[in-house]
Amino acid sequence: MDALLQHAGWQPLTRSEPRTVDVPDRPVVRLGVVGGGLRSAVGRTHFIAAQMGGGFRIEAGCFARDPAENERTGEYLRLPAGRVCRNPAELIDAMRGEIDALLVLTPTPDHLEQIQLALEAGLAVISEKALTASVDDCVRLRELQAANGQPLAVTYNYSGYAFVRELRARVLRGDLGRILKAVVEMPQEGFLRNDTSGQPMVPQAWRLQDGAIPTVSLDLGVHCHHLLAFLTEHEPLADWGRQASLGNFSEVIDDVECAGRLGQQGLFSMWYGKAALGHRNGLRIRLYGSEASATWYQAIPDELHLHGRSGQTQVLDFGSPDLLVANQPRYMRFKAGHPTGFIEAFANLYDDIAGMLTGIPMPAADPAYVPSIAEAERGLRFLQSVDQLSRPAS
Amino acid sequence: MDALLQHAGWQPLTRSEPRTVDVPDRPVVRLGVVGGGLRSAVGRTHFIAAQMGGGFRIEAGCFARDPAENERTGEYLRLPAGRVCRNPAELIDAMRGEIDALLVLTPTPDHLEQIQLALEAGLAVISEKALTASVDDCVRLRELQAANGQPLAVTYNYSGYAFVRELRARVLRGDLGRILKAVVEMPQEGFLRNDTSGQPMVPQAWRLQDGAIPTVSLDLGVHCHHLLAFLTEHEPLADWGRQASLGNFSEVIDDVECAGRLGQQGLFSMWYGKAALGHRNGLRIRLYGSEASATWYQAIPDELHLHGRSGQTQVLDFGSPDLLVANQPRYMRFKAGHPTGFIEAFANLYDDIAGMLTGIPMPAADPAYVPSIAEAERGLRFLQSVDQLSRPAS
Amino acid sequence: MDALLQHAGWQPLTRSEPRTVDVPDRPVVRLGVVGGGLRSAVGRTHFIAAQMGGGFRIEAGCFARDPAENERTGEYLRLPAGRVCRNPAELIDAMRGEIDALLVLTPTPDHLEQIQLALEAGLAVISEKALTASVDDCVRLRELQAANGQPLAVTYNYSGYAFVRELRARVLRGDLGRILKAVVEMPQEGFLRNDTSGQPMVPQAWRLQDGAIPTVSLDLGVHCHHLLAFLTEHEPLADWGRQASLGNFSEVIDDVECAGRLGQQGLFSMWYGKAALGHRNGLRIRLYGSEASATWYQAIPDELHLHGRSGQTQVLDFGSPDLLVANQPRYMRFKAGHPTGFIEAFANLYDDIAGMLTGIPMPAADPAYVPSIAEAERGLRFLQSVDQLSRPAS
Amino acid sequence: MDALLQHAGWQPLTRSEPRTVDVPDRPVVRLGVVGGGLRSAVGRTHFIAAQMGGGFRIEAGCFARDPAENERTGEYLRLPAGRVCRNPAELIDAMRGEIDALLVLTPTPDHLEQIQLALEAGLAVISEKALTASVDDCVRLRELQAANGQPLAVTYNYSGYAFVRELRARVLRGDLGRILKAVVEMPQEGFLRNDTSGQPMVPQAWRLQDGAIPTVSLDLGVHCHHLLAFLTEHEPLADWGRQASLGNFSEVIDDVECAGRLGQQGLFSMWYGKAALGHRNGLRIRLYGSEASATWYQAIPDELHLHGRSGQTQVLDFGSPDLLVANQPRYMRFKAGHPTGFIEAFANLYDDIAGMLTGIPMPAADPAYVPSIAEAERGLRFLQSVDQLSRPAS
């Protein structure tokens, strides 16, 4: 359990509200929230996912710069009067002793300052990915966190799917043999799509600027990198990259491909972007091993397709025998045969974060389930290298 | 709004806790719960679904006959001390004024008495299907409810899927023309499956007895009937039925087929059962109209397949243009491209029930979204007729 | 081999043109053809399928009543001058000694007379299904054939698919245990479809009359019946039937459902029709056994889906290990990974018919691969019973 | 029609055997065959495909070095005595005036010499891909062919699928807008697979040597290149390549990826290989345009998936309205609803080759349907460049 924490100096919260059965008996984690107003894409998702397993309670927040949206979000959450603050500093100050962790849902460029505030105030941090907009910022956070010992988790939410975790467990057990090749793709269409009035959809303004790492990489690339490393326990090392702007917004990169080595003996290819019509979100992972291969496709998340060296093809789902992890009660909020979705994957991740923060992990939890600042840094370094590989030598 | 209530004499709760955006501004509904202990199949599902949209708060319950399980369930729900009661009567008595509605999650044979208690105490009722085990019991409830005016909702949860509702909207708009034939099937495998130790799975004891209507019909048939009527606004009238016991438990029916007329001009066929290996839950609905046909398959719930008279094939999902209802923000808890699941469908239904109970429905809500006692009665009458049609003439 | 023939008195053709490898060394069967003109639906299909494996050569024919079409078909087949005849009698007379068998491709009502002519002339017969339009006619043919000993094969072409045969082999080996339930469906859309000009498609005139057995049953029902019996070696016995006219042509039945017993311990359901938009041809077979279930879907014919009692799901294809029959070279005209289609299934059946007619069957052939007059009669009796069950008692 | 020929000096064969309906009235093309013995992978496939449409007749051949196999192949084809020759030179000499074209089915390294012989003898040539093993050899052939004017066709058989051609027609009409990105992949598993005895499968010896261009590129890469150019009428230009040996045979490349520009404004990515378990043949083509995207997957060849800019998803098949080319009778050898397969795609290509050789093309034929030596040369140049890009700079 202590191993799980991996954060020197962090004291698990006091056990106050016991729980039972497959949900560990542990205290609720009290959250303050920065960002996530009702107009944002991610707020409601986080609120539901965090609270679905009972591990968290949202106590306060500054949800939006716009006072009206800020207030409305507090009302939506049925927060008591006085729990909607004007800015992160005020929130942290006002809620001292009343919250255990800060949940950071603002655009990536804003994370650094807000997380610094939280860590310095002795709060744990749960941050949307990408953790920071550059490697340098991430290093600064890492050093600060190492110094003050507060735990920090990054919400790479796709890793919460039961069958992503099942695949990881099988890869680590050696079912696939040596991973010869991994192909990860996450094509999307938002930068080419029309809306219902026939006009091109317009993304949020901050998505239409690229910094040291293109925004599309901070948005999609971090997931691809994390999943690849999470599933294989090998770190991808790119030796080729290509970045292009194919969609409506020529000022930003919206299509990235890269390739390189995965661990000692394998290869990987990766593609993500926002100009591929037909893909609401085409996240698909294919791992080709020396003994077997596996495919997982996010749109049908409760299936895992396996292909053996002798030609056998198996489809795993929640009703399959001999599952390694997907058969845990925590993943089946209802009986097999009832599809689960993204928000439950996200809730699975939150349950693990609650486990880390309270020091009382979920049954059979794997330390890798809670992505740390180290993984965030590796992802940013990877994406930075892809950016550099993509630039013409001069 | 009043039309939506459809329950004379029911006073909407006082508006106390305002809400915003696509979630109506309305008071939270306070629930007492009967059944749903942590060992039951349905408890956790209901608890999550009811609270996901913020419309309900569980205040108290008697969750299980076993005192330990009862207590543990209260702990899981983080109920304050004193909120776990020993039986329904005690619950209703102790929580008078503290709860608005009773949520009934016990086995069907227990519903009648518990719902009577609640109605007589002036509580609204939310009941798991099947509402009662016989038509007679349902008639008794209907008469009681008509007399005292409390609202009652039955949780036919599959009707909460966004694309089931999209299909209904398209059928009612006439997109399919006249419905010539409806084929509904819900095969499952539980009565033939082995568990992980290679032994046949053993259902709960109450599922291994058949009353006036076979338990498999109360379990699965009610959903098939409800979906058929919900989607087409036509009532199926069976003229053929066949009931068989194919699985491990020869004392109960586990396979039912029936057929007959659907409305004035169409036909239907229906199959459900628990002895069909390979189907965790094969719920599939196919509607064949004079102008178009449609298929919806629960395992991939975010898709609707449409086929036109000229041969065109379209697939609708959350990213499609010109959706009628599935594009409402309430159904997309995150962006298109992230699969939704059963528990969200269930939460959609709970959101509508909250709308009915508070008198403040969800935007663009359809009165049929909240199944009433009338629909429950029609379903039981239908299933009773199938049972009678299945018996050899003597 | 003699057992395979199952036709007393039939002398295998003399071996003249040897063949090798997985194709047996045997003489070519010389065909005369009745029907199958270039405007018919089936002619070209039969011509290709019969000749694909080298087992047959078309020597002569009377292909159409229309002299121009008749001639053109002979040209298409590159027949020498004088090989296009005006009617069956002339064909049989003119080609005496030059053909071994008559291939009958005319509408079902014409079969009886043409087949009688052929049998009386000492020719073998290959007939399109349905063999005859009534049970009585079939009985007459059976008696005639028994008397004169010529072989007769009926082309139930779907049974030629490799994975239909693989499924049969697995059922007979007992892999599925006892067959508890079989569900066969073959919905089509032709009687509701518009053509490209937006006008309803108009079927051939003979399809718009119903005789003792509805034409849709002669067209589709015979396949459903044959496949069910072929796959399970159990004969279905209907105890319920429903026939309706749902499409544009109210003068004929276009939708049939029936159900009953399959063998001693199982049940079956069947649906076929021509008024189900979206189904070019939705032929799907599902067998639910006590140990496993299987699904085969004609649109993706190179796959067989198997589901075991412990929840395992397997997909078989041409690359799977441990195939029982589908791995024979005859079924893979190119390497695994290259889809096969209907015309190859048909060619597989023709190869088996050549095996029967020459007395030199394909390697590992199963006598059931060549449907006989006995199977045709059972099918017609079954469909006649469905017709009778569908009529209201008076 | 003359434009279709594109071969100065070639005289169409004399019209001798007229044909009708959708098959043009034209003479049969008489073939001599080199290679394709019954033990080869491709012989039977070509024999069936060439003769399915009636356009060709095999007159003679030297099918294998092994005299027994050579003889048996002649018997399989029912060739008259004296039509099986010992080597290509003998064949060409003996059949002078009796054959119109030489069909070359030998391993790629043998093509150059055999095709030279044929061209010099005034024969047309139909050659399996890859046409030659190097760019230099291809240039030599091109010059020879230009000098003597005989037509030459290369059998890139995947381009014969009706829905590949439908996709091409739609791309050229502009339905997809500008092609922003093309993703072509053709993963296979043969170099990692075990056979049924659990031993690694062993390819033919000539596949285990790499020349100037890796054999896997000559085998699979040429198809990927051809399809990409065929579908888009843009020539891919690689600027990155990676070649690896991942399977059992470290002496040869078995995995190739490359990327670069497609035409003026688009990008492409390509992957093919033989060490990807689970893929019998995973050929999949995805074209992402500025107005729409399309996916075609060889395993389900009768479908084409289209996605528009407004989010609409359509599935095209043989029953769809408004097809551009796939609705021609030539592609539907039986009614819609009956799957077609690889061998029919191949036959489609042969029908077009017959059209070129006779000067009487199929109705609505597209000159690009018959791949010429120019396309073969472009493919080899492309694959050579990928090989060079894959080598470390030194």
Side-chain angles (χ1 to χ4, degrees):
Chain A
M1 216 169 294
D2 286 340
L4 186 69
L5 282 179
Q6 297 183 305
H7 297 286
W10 165 253
Q11 292 305 315
L13 305 175
T14 321
R15 180 175 313 199
S16 63
E17 299 179 58
R19 300 185 61 186
T20 54
V21 188
D22 67 297
V23 186
D25 177 8
R26 62 189 181 196
V28 74
V29 179
R30 300 165 303 167
L31 293 176
V33 181
V34 185
L38 283 175
R39 281 198 208 122
S40 77
V42 301
R44 187 161 63 139
T45 317
H46 276 269
F47 303 153
I48 294 171
Q51 299 182 102
M52 187 183 288
F56 295 89
R57 192 167 54 225
I58 297 168
E59 299 283 352
C62 60
F63 303 105
R65 287 183 213 279
D66 171 39
E69 185 187 356
N70 198 12
E71 280 302 320
R72 283 203 314 275
T73 308
E75 291 165 0
Y76 165 80
L77 288 164
R78 301 187 188 280
L79 294 184
R83 293 300 183 89
V84 175
C85 305
R86 278 174 302 180
N87 57 56
E90 183 186 307
L91 171 70
I92 288 169
D93 195 51
M95 294 300 295
R96 199 168 299 266
E98 304 288 321
I99 59 174
D100 305 306
L102 190 73
L103 172 58
V104 179
L105 303 181
T106 47
T108 297
D110 301 341
H111 287 185
L112 176 64
E113 188 186 333
Q114 295 162 352
I115 294 174
Q116 283 176 325
L117 275 177
L119 291 176
E120 284 163 1
L123 292 172
V125 171
I126 302 170
S127 174
E128 248 297 339
K129 45 49 63 179
L131 182 59
T132 61
S134 71
V135 173
D136 286 352
D137 288 357
C138 194
V139 168
R140 252 182 283 174
L141 277 191
R142 182 195 3 113
E143 290 171 352
L144 178 61
Q145 191 232 15
N148 87 357
Q150 299 307 317
L152 184 152
V154 188
T155 57
Y156 294 107
N157 33 42
Y158 298 102
S159 67
Y161 279 111
F163 281 93
V164 167
R165 293 171 171 198
E166 179 72 22
L167 176 51
R168 170 179 156 87
R170 287 175 181 251
V171 169
L172 297 189
R173 190 172 68 169
D175 290 13
L176 275 63
R178 190 156 50 87
I179 301 298
L180 303 172
K181 184 161 210 167
V183 180
V184 181
E185 55 184 45
M186 196 178 190
Q188 299 189 353
E189 64 185 350
F191 281 22
L192 261 180
R193 272 292 301 272
N194 288 339
D195 63 19
T196 52
S197 66
Q199 296 305 307
M201 287 166 59
V202 179
Q204 296 128 301
W206 69 276
R207 293 189 194 268
L208 292 179
Q209 296 176 40
D210 282 342
I213 297 171
T215 298
V216 72
S217 292
L218 297 176
D219 195 1
L220 308 183
V222 292
H223 285 299
C224 293
H225 171 272
H226 179 261
L227 284 168
L228 191 46
F230 177 73
L231 284 169
T232 66
E233 285 285 325
H234 288 303
E235 191 61 27
L237 184 66
D239 51 36
W240 172 73
R242 174 170 71 181
Q243 299 183 158
S245 182
L246 303 175
N248 296 323
F249 309 99
S250 60
E251 61 272 38
V252 286
I253 297 296
D254 58 14
D255 190 86
V256 180
E257 285 181 88
C258 59
R261 304 201 67 82
L262 181 69
Q264 289 300 95
Q265 300 183 292
L267 303 175
F268 81 92
S269 303
M270 189 182 288
W271 171 39
Y272 52 88
K274 301 204 165 191
L277 290 175
H279 294 291
R280 317 320 186 192
N281 177 358
L283 176 58
R284 187 189 308 261
I285 297 166
R286 296 181 282 180
L287 301 181
Y288 298 96
S290 58
E291 297 299 328
S293 72
T295 297
W296 180 80
Y297 180 47
Q298 194 238 181
I300 306 179
D302 296 348
E303 287 187 2
L304 183 60
H305 292 246
L306 298 174
H307 305 274
R309 188 166 190 171
S310 299
Q312 50 306 28
T313 293
Q314 262 187 291
V315 182
L316 300 186
D317 63 23
F318 283 117
S320 298
D322 306 324
L323 296 174
L324 298 183
V325 303
N327 57 358
Q328 291 174 0
R330 60 177 298 203
Y331 296 120
M332 272 180 280
R333 292 180 179 83
F334 197 48
K335 299 176 221 179
H338 296 83
T340 76
F342 174 76
I343 211 160
E344 291 169 79
F346 210 160
N348 295 337
L349 175 57
Y350 263 107
D351 289 343
D352 286 304
I353 296 173
M356 179 188 77
L357 295 181
T358 58
I360 302 165
M362 301 297 290
D366 177 330
Y369 287 172
V370 180
S372 71
I373 201 166
E375 281 143 291
E377 184 179 335
R378 283 195 293 268
L380 292 168
R381 287 191 186 280
F382 172 83
L383 298 170
Q384 181 178 270
S385 79
V386 170
D387 182 77
Q388 286 161 354
L389 288 162
S390 302
R391 296 180 186 283
S394 57
Chain B
M1 217 169 297
D2 287 341
L4 186 69
L5 282 179
Q6 296 182 307
H7 297 286
W10 165 252
Q11 292 304 314
L13 304 175
T14 322
R15 180 173 315 198
S16 63
E17 300 178 56
R19 300 187 59 187
T20 54
V21 187
D22 66 298
V23 187
D25 176 9
R26 63 188 181 196
V28 74
V29 178
R30 300 164 303 167
L31 293 177
V33 181
V34 185
L38 284 175
R39 280 197 209 123
S40 77
V42 301
R44 188 162 62 139
T45 316
H46 276 269
F47 303 154
I48 294 171
Q51 299 183 103
M52 188 182 289
F56 295 90
R57 191 165 54 225
I58 297 169
E59 299 283 352
C62 59
F63 304 103
R65 286 182 214 281
D66 171 39
E69 185 187 356
N70 198 13
E71 280 302 322
R72 282 204 312 277
T73 308
E75 291 165 0
Y76 164 81
L77 288 164
R78 302 186 188 278
L79 295 183
R83 293 298 184 89
V84 174
C85 304
R86 278 173 303 180
N87 57 55
E90 184 187 305
L91 171 68
I92 288 168
D93 195 53
M95 294 300 295
R96 199 169 299 267
E98 304 288 323
I99 58 175
D100 305 305
L102 190 71
L103 171 58
V104 179
L105 304 181
T106 48
T108 297
D110 300 342
H111 287 184
L112 175 64
E113 189 187 331
Q114 294 161 355
I115 294 174
Q116 284 176 325
L117 276 177
L119 292 176
E120 285 162 2
L123 291 172
V125 171
I126 303 169
S127 174
E128 246 298 336
K129 44 49 62 179
L131 182 60
T132 63
S134 72
V135 172
D136 286 352
D137 288 357
C138 194
V139 168
R140 252 182 283 173
L141 278 190
R142 189 212 335 129
E143 291 170 353
L144 178 61
Q145 192 233 12
N148 87 358
Q150 300 306 318
L152 184 151
V154 188
T155 55
Y156 295 107
N157 34 41
Y158 298 102
S159 67
Y161 280 111
F163 282 93
V164 168
R165 293 172 170 196
E166 179 73 21
L167 176 52
R168 171 178 155 88
R170 287 173 181 252
V171 169
L172 297 189
R173 190 172 68 170
D175 290 12
L176 275 62
R178 188 157 51 86
I179 301 298
L180 304 172
K181 183 161 211 167
V183 181
V184 180
E185 56 184 43
M186 196 180 189
Q188 301 189 354
E189 64 184 350
F191 281 21
L192 261 181
R193 271 291 302 271
N194 288 339
D195 62 20
T196 51
S197 66
Q199 296 305 306
M201 287 167 59
V202 179
Q204 296 128 301
W206 70 275
R207 292 189 195 267
L208 292 179
Q209 296 176 39
D210 281 343
I213 297 170
T215 298
V216 71
S217 292
L218 297 175
D219 196 2
L220 309 183
V222 292
H223 285 299
C224 294
H225 171 273
H226 178 261
L227 284 168
L228 192 45
F230 177 73
L231 285 169
T232 66
E233 284 285 326
H234 288 302
E235 191 61 28
L237 183 66
D239 52 34
W240 173 73
R242 174 170 71 181
Q243 299 183 158
S245 181
L246 302 176
N248 296 323
F249 309 98
S250 60
E251 63 272 37
V252 287
I253 297 297
D254 59 14
D255 189 87
V256 179
E257 285 181 88
C258 58
R261 303 201 68 82
L262 180 69
Q264 289 300 96
Q265 299 182 293
L267 304 174
F268 81 92
S269 302
M270 190 183 287
W271 171 38
Y272 53 88
K274 301 204 164 191
L277 289 175
H279 293 291
R280 317 320 185 191
N281 178 359
L283 177 58
R284 187 189 309 261
I285 296 166
R286 296 181 283 180
L287 301 181
Y288 298 96
S290 58
E291 296 298 328
S293 72
T295 297
W296 180 80
Y297 180 47
Q298 196 237 180
I300 306 179
D302 296 348
E303 287 187 3
L304 182 59
H305 292 245
L306 298 174
H307 305 274
R309 189 167 189 171
S310 298
Q312 54 298 36
T313 292
Q314 263 187 291
V315 183
L316 300 186
D317 62 23
F318 283 117
S320 298
D322 306 323
L323 296 174
L324 298 183
V325 303
N327 57 357
Q328 292 174 0
R330 60 178 298 204
Y331 296 120
M332 272 180 280
R333 293 180 179 84
F334 197 50
K335 300 176 220 176
H338 296 83
T340 77
F342 174 78
I343 212 159
E344 291 169 79
F346 210 160
N348 295 337
L349 175 57
Y350 262 106
D351 289 343
D352 286 304
I353 296 173
M356 178 188 76
L357 295 181
T358 58
I360 303 164
M362 301 296 291
D366 176 330
Y369 287 171
V370 180
S372 72
I373 201 163
E375 281 143 291
E377 184 179 336
R378 284 196 292 268
L380 292 168
R381 286 191 187 280
F382 172 82
L383 297 170
Q384 181 178 270
S385 80
V386 170
D387 181 76
Q388 286 160 355
L389 288 163
S390 303
R391 295 179 187 285
S394 56
Chain C
M1 216 168 295
D2 286 341
L4 185 68
L5 282 178
Q6 297 183 306
H7 297 286
W10 164 252
Q11 291 306 313
L13 304 176
T14 321
R15 180 174 312 198
S16 65
E17 299 179 57
R19 300 187 60 185
T20 53
V21 187
D22 66 297
V23 186
D25 177 9
R26 62 190 182 195
V28 74
V29 179
R30 300 164 303 167
L31 293 177
V33 182
V34 185
L38 284 175
R39 281 197 208 123
S40 77
V42 300
R44 188 162 60 138
T45 317
H46 276 270
F47 302 154
I48 294 170
Q51 300 182 103
M52 188 183 289
F56 295 89
R57 190 166 55 226
I58 296 169
E59 299 282 352
C62 59
F63 305 104
R65 286 182 213 280
D66 171 40
E69 185 187 357
N70 198 12
E71 281 301 322
R72 283 203 314 276
T73 309
E75 291 165 1
Y76 165 80
L77 289 164
R78 302 187 187 279
L79 294 183
R83 293 299 184 89
V84 175
C85 305
R86 278 173 303 179
N87 56 58
E90 184 187 306
L91 171 69
I92 288 168
D93 194 52
M95 294 300 296
R96 198 167 300 267
E98 304 288 321
I99 59 174
D100 305 304
L102 190 73
L103 172 58
V104 179
L105 304 181
T106 47
T108 297
D110 301 341
H111 287 185
L112 175 65
E113 189 186 331
Q114 295 162 353
I115 294 174
Q116 283 176 326
L117 275 178
L119 292 176
E120 285 162 1
L123 292 172
V125 171
I126 303 170
S127 174
E128 248 297 336
K129 44 48 62 177
L131 182 60
T132 63
S134 72
V135 172
D136 287 352
D137 288 357
C138 193
V139 168
R140 253 183 280 173
L141 278 190
R142 190 214 332 131
E143 291 170 352
L144 178 60
Q145 191 232 13
N148 87 358
Q150 298 307 318
L152 184 152
V154 188
T155 55
Y156 294 107
N157 33 42
Y158 298 101
S159 67
Y161 278 111
F163 282 93
V164 167
R165 293 172 170 197
E166 179 73 21
L167 177 52
R168 171 178 155 88
R170 287 174 180 253
V171 169
L172 297 189
R173 190 172 68 170
D175 290 12
L176 275 62
R178 190 157 50 86
I179 302 298
L180 304 172
K181 184 162 211 166
V183 180
V184 180
E185 55 185 44
M186 196 178 189
Q188 301 189 353
E189 64 185 350
F191 281 22
L192 262 180
R193 272 292 302 271
N194 287 340
D195 63 20
T196 51
S197 66
Q199 296 305 306
M201 287 166 58
V202 179
Q204 296 128 301
W206 70 275
R207 294 188 193 268
L208 292 179
Q209 296 176 38
D210 282 342
I213 297 171
T215 298
V216 72
S217 292
L218 297 175
D219 196 2
L220 308 183
V222 293
H223 285 299
C224 293
H225 170 272
H226 179 260
L227 284 168
L228 191 45
F230 177 72
L231 285 169
T232 66
E233 284 285 325
H234 287 302
E235 191 60 29
L237 184 65
D239 51 35
W240 172 74
R242 174 170 71 180
Q243 299 182 158
S245 182
L246 303 175
N248 295 324
F249 309 100
S250 60
E251 62 271 38
V252 286
I253 297 298
D254 59 14
D255 189 86
V256 179
E257 285 181 88
C258 58
R261 303 202 67 81
L262 180 70
Q264 290 300 95
Q265 299 182 294
L267 304 175
F268 81 92
S269 302
M270 190 182 286
W271 172 38
Y272 52 87
K274 302 205 165 190
L277 289 175
H279 294 291
R280 316 318 185 194
N281 178 358
L283 176 58
R284 187 189 309 261
I285 297 166
R286 297 181 283 180
L287 301 180
Y288 299 96
S290 58
E291 297 298 328
S293 73
T295 297
W296 179 81
Y297 180 48
Q298 195 238 181
I300 306 180
D302 297 347
E303 287 188 2
L304 183 59
H305 292 245
L306 298 174
H307 304 274
R309 189 166 189 172
S310 298
Q312 46 313 24
T313 292
Q314 263 187 289
V315 182
L316 299 186
D317 63 24
F318 282 117
S320 297
D322 306 323
L323 296 174
L324 297 183
V325 303
N327 56 358
Q328 292 174 0
R330 60 179 297 203
Y331 296 120
M332 272 180 279
R333 292 181 179 81
F334 197 49
K335 300 175 219 177
H338 295 83
T340 76
F342 174 77
I343 211 159
E344 290 169 80
F346 210 161
N348 295 337
L349 176 57
Y350 263 106
D351 288 343
D352 286 305
I353 296 174
M356 178 187 77
L357 295 181
T358 58
I360 302 165
M362 299 298 290
D366 177 330
Y369 287 172
V370 180
S372 72
I373 201 165
E375 281 144 290
E377 184 179 336
R378 284 195 293 268
L380 293 168
R381 286 192 187 280
F382 172 82
L383 298 170
Q384 181 178 271
S385 79
V386 171
D387 182 76
Q388 286 160 356
L389 288 163
S390 302
R391 296 178 186 284
S394 56
Chain D
M1 215 169 297
D2 287 340
L4 185 69
L5 282 179
Q6 297 184 304
H7 297 285
W10 165 252
Q11 292 305 313
L13 304 175
T14 321
R15 180 174 314 199
S16 65
E17 300 179 56
R19 300 186 59 185
T20 54
V21 187
D22 67 297
V23 186
D25 177 7
R26 63 190 182 195
V28 74
V29 179
R30 300 164 303 167
L31 293 176
V33 182
V34 185
L38 284 175
R39 281 198 208 122
S40 76
V42 301
R44 188 162 61 139
T45 316
H46 276 270
F47 303 154
I48 295 171
Q51 299 183 102
M52 188 182 287
F56 295 90
R57 191 166 55 225
I58 297 170
E59 299 283 352
C62 59
F63 304 104
R65 286 182 214 279
D66 172 39
E69 185 187 356
N70 198 12
E71 281 301 322
R72 283 204 312 278
T73 308
E75 290 165 1
Y76 164 81
L77 288 164
R78 301 186 188 280
L79 295 184
R83 293 300 184 89
V84 175
C85 304
R86 278 175 303 180
N87 57 56
E90 183 186 308
L91 171 69
I92 289 168
D93 194 53
M95 295 299 295
R96 198 168 299 268
E98 304 288 323
I99 58 175
D100 305 305
L102 189 73
L103 172 58
V104 179
L105 304 181
T106 48
T108 297
D110 301 342
H111 287 183
L112 175 64
E113 188 186 332
Q114 295 162 353
I115 294 174
Q116 283 176 326
L117 275 178
L119 292 176
E120 286 162 1
L123 292 172
V125 171
I126 303 169
S127 174
E128 248 297 337
K129 43 51 63 179
L131 182 59
T132 62
S134 71
V135 171
D136 286 353
D137 288 357
C138 194
V139 169
R140 252 181 282 174
L141 279 190
R142 185 203 350 119
E143 291 170 353
L144 178 60
Q145 192 231 12
N148 86 358
Q150 300 307 317
L152 185 152
V154 189
T155 56
Y156 295 107
N157 34 42
Y158 298 102
S159 67
Y161 279 112
F163 282 92
V164 167
R165 293 171 170 198
E166 180 73 22
L167 177 51
R168 170 177 157 89
R170 288 174 180 252
V171 169
L172 297 189
R173 190 172 68 170
D175 290 12
L176 274 62
R178 189 157 49 87
I179 302 297
L180 304 172
K181 184 162 210 166
V183 181
V184 180
E185 56 184 42
M186 196 178 190
Q188 300 188 353
E189 64 185 350
F191 281 21
L192 261 181
R193 271 291 303 271
N194 288 340
D195 62 21
T196 52
S197 66
Q199 296 305 308
M201 287 167 58
V202 179
Q204 296 128 300
W206 69 277
R207 293 190 194 267
L208 292 180
Q209 297 176 38
D210 281 343
I213 296 171
T215 298
V216 71
S217 292
L218 296 176
D219 196 3
L220 308 183
V222 291
H223 285 299
C224 294
H225 170 272
H226 178 259
L227 285 168
L228 191 45
F230 178 73
L231 285 168
T232 66
E233 284 284 327
H234 287 303
E235 191 60 28
L237 183 66
D239 51 35
W240 172 74
R242 174 170 72 181
Q243 298 182 158
S245 181
L246 301 175
N248 296 324
F249 309 99
S250 60
E251 63 272 36
V252 286
I253 297 298
D254 59 14
D255 190 88
V256 179
E257 285 181 88
C258 59
R261 303 201 68 81
L262 180 70
Q264 289 300 94
Q265 300 182 292
L267 304 175
F268 80 92
S269 303
M270 191 182 286
W271 170 39
Y272 52 88
K274 301 204 165 191
L277 290 175
H279 294 291
R280 316 321 185 192
N281 178 358
L283 176 58
R284 187 188 309 260
I285 297 166
R286 296 181 283 180
L287 301 181
Y288 299 96
S290 58
E291 296 298 329
S293 73
T295 297
W296 180 80
Y297 180 48
Q298 195 238 180
I300 306 178
D302 296 348
E303 287 187 2
L304 183 60
H305 293 245
L306 299 173
H307 305 274
R309 189 167 189 171
S310 298
Q312 50 305 30
T313 292
Q314 261 188 292
V315 183
L316 300 185
D317 62 23
F318 282 117
S320 298
D322 306 323
L323 296 174
L324 298 184
V325 302
N327 57 358
Q328 292 174 0
R330 60 178 297 205
Y331 296 120
M332 272 180 282
R333 292 180 178 83
F334 197 49
K335 299 175 220 178
H338 295 83
T340 77
F342 174 78
I343 210 159
E344 290 169 80
F346 210 161
N348 295 337
L349 175 57
Y350 262 106
D351 289 343
D352 286 304
I353 296 174
M356 178 188 77
L357 295 181
T358 58
I360 304 164
M362 301 296 291
D366 177 330
Y369 286 173
V370 180
S372 71
I373 201 164
E375 281 144 290
E377 184 179 335
R378 285 195 292 268
L380 292 169
R381 287 191 186 282
F382 172 82
L383 297 170
Q384 182 179 270
S385 79
V386 170
D387 181 76
Q388 286 160 356
L389 288 163
S390 302
R391 297 180 186 284
S394 57

